[in-house]
Amino acid sequence: MNFPSNLKYTKEHEWLRIESNDIAYIGVTDFAQSELGDIVYVEVETVGETIEKDEIFGTIEAVKTTSDLFMPVSGEILEFNPLLDQSEGDNPALVNSDPYTEGWIVKIRMTDLAQLKDLMDATTYQNLVA
Amino acid sequence: MQTIQVKSTPLTQKHLALKAKMSAFAGYNMPISYAGIKEEHICVRTNVGVFDVSHMGEFIVKGMDALALVQRVTSNDASKLVAGGIQYACLPNGKGGIVDDLLVYRLADDMCAAGEQAFMLVVNASNIEKDWSWIMSHAADFEVTMQDISEKTGLLALQGPNATKVLEKLTSVKIGDLKYYTFAKGKVAGLDNVLISATGYTGAGGYELYARNSQMEKLWDALFEAGREFNIQPIGLGARDTLRLEKGYCLYGNDIDDTTSPIEAGLGWITKLKKGDFINADLFRNQVKNGVAKKLVGFELSDRRVPRHDHLIENEAGEVIGKVTSGTQSPTLNKPIGMGYVSTNYTAVGSHIWIQMGGGKRFAAKVVKLPFLN
């Protein structure tokens, strides 16, 4: 299982990649997609909203189970990955096949950069799920 | 500290070697999926796959009163079974609910002394002890011996449209002549006395093979060897669940349990009210005559969210009218499907219902005819 070292991780099995200054991408980890199994739908109806850390910003439906998506840090949802969006690419299986790059879920503008220090690095996260 | 003993099947090492995703189910460490639920599901619907379902329980009931006991405790009419025949049935619990659902096998008379009958009852793994105590508690007045052979019996399900082509390479038993819900015993892959049953809970056709634990690894290997030309695959319990749900088959603990009657569950077809007295016969007759307050229905959603066990079902006004018992994204139909109990006013095909998924979100659904997939 793969946990890139340039990402930050949460205990809810999400990753965050800082793009520039206060802009970041969020997705779910390789471990999360593997546990969920075949992902059939990703619902994000929060674009434009500002959501607090640990609050729900979306939902993933897999064949077997449903899982909510939680904000790793507070921020404004700028974009939902059009490749996953049912009205555009409609390819939620990308979260299974490529969770860290093509399968990103949302792009956000972080509102409290101090919260980043609460996230885990790759080694710490890997130990958590090992 | 409490330690929970998780049992293995004779094939656990095979599953681990195949890197299956494993999980404790009914006290057994079972494979949930190998390649992925969708891929496994489609493999069974269109081709052929093998399930290890050795966790299932098997009881032998034998004696002068074996038929009488089976008639007393099960809902179906076992007097209609001839040797080699199988019936789906349930065990009513005395309060109008269901102890378990099961298969009843009428075994050959050569297993018995004159005047005796013998049956094999195949029950859910999670209910082995409960079923055993329940049946024993009714056996006192009957001249029978009962034997629990669960621990020494393995079970493989070979399912899918190519199942016959795979199995006929391994046996001289004329399996093509086996009608649905009948069985024969014979040699499979050189292994003696395998029970070949034309059953399975997938609706994809195929066989279930009962053998001794010591035969299971060899049987498993032989099926994969014979099935190689068809690209046969191992299938986990995840796909077993989606396959049975597309066919509208009930899963004990989800769709039926100690609080649901077979009449409510749409299992009237295995509840033979004219066969004579059996547990809860009068209660069920009364339910058929006067109607029931809730019934199990199938429904589809137009949205992409997936209904799950225990989601509440509402009417347009937001009043709770029932509860979801099973739900999934149908891999064949590519849409969310579910079953649940609703008040009788909402059971007609085409009825509009809403599934409450929490967080103030509810999604429109429509009652459809079962099975979802013909």
Side-chain angles (χ1 to χ4, degrees), chain A residues 2-105:
Chain A
N2 173 27
F3 305 107
S5 59
N6 63 323
L7 308 181
K8 295 176 182 302
Y9 298 86
T10 74
K11 63 177 183 358
E12 302 288 353
H13 311 291
E14 276 129 15
W15 56 260
L16 178 146
R17 187 180 78 238
I18 299 171
E19 179 74 358
S20 61
N21 301 319
D22 58 351
I23 303 298
Y25 286 87
I26 294 170
V28 299
T29 67
D30 198 9
F31 174 80
Q33 70 77 18
S34 162
E35 287 295 302
L36 287 166
D38 300 306
I39 293 169
V40 295
Y41 179 51
V42 181
E43 181 187 81
V44 174
E45 295 176 336
T46 49
V47 174
E49 293 177 26
T50 297
I51 301 175
E52 294 299 304
K53 179 181 191 309
D54 298 332
E55 296 294 314
I56 294 167
F57 71 88
T59 304
I60 288 185
E61 292 284 7
V63 171
K64 188 89 188 144
T65 188
T66 305
S67 182
D68 285 327
L69 293 161
F70 300 91
M71 290 293 272
V73 295
S74 301
E76 180 192 354
I77 310 284
L78 299 177
E79 190 182 357
F80 171 34
N81 185 350
L83 297 175
L84 309 184
D85 193 334
Q86 69 168 335
S87 59
E88 298 187 53
D90 198 16
N91 188 6
L94 278 177
V95 178
N96 288 122
S97 59
D98 193 1
Y100 297 119
T101 43
E102 294 249 282
W104 62 274
I105 296 175

Side-chain angles (χ1 to χ4, degrees), chain B residues 249-304:
Chain B
Y249 300 156
C250 291
L251 174 64
Y252 193 87
N254 276 40
D255 312 297
I256 49 176
D257 60 26
D258 273 296
T259 69
T260 60
S261 98
I263 308 304
E264 294 168 338
L267 297 177
W269 63 280
I270 60 161
T271 309
K272 298 292 160 58
L273 300 171
K274 290 177 189 158
K275 75 168 180 174
D277 192 34
F278 63 101
I279 294 170
N280 284 146
D282 285 340
L283 194 152
F284 298 147
R285 283 185 196 114
N286 202 35
Q287 287 184 340
V288 168
K289 193 174 153 207
N290 298 320
V292 288
K294 62 174 182 183
K295 271 188 177 166
L296 189 68
V297 296
F299 57 85
E300 290 178 357
L301 280 77
S302 44
D303 208 277
R304 296 277 288 275

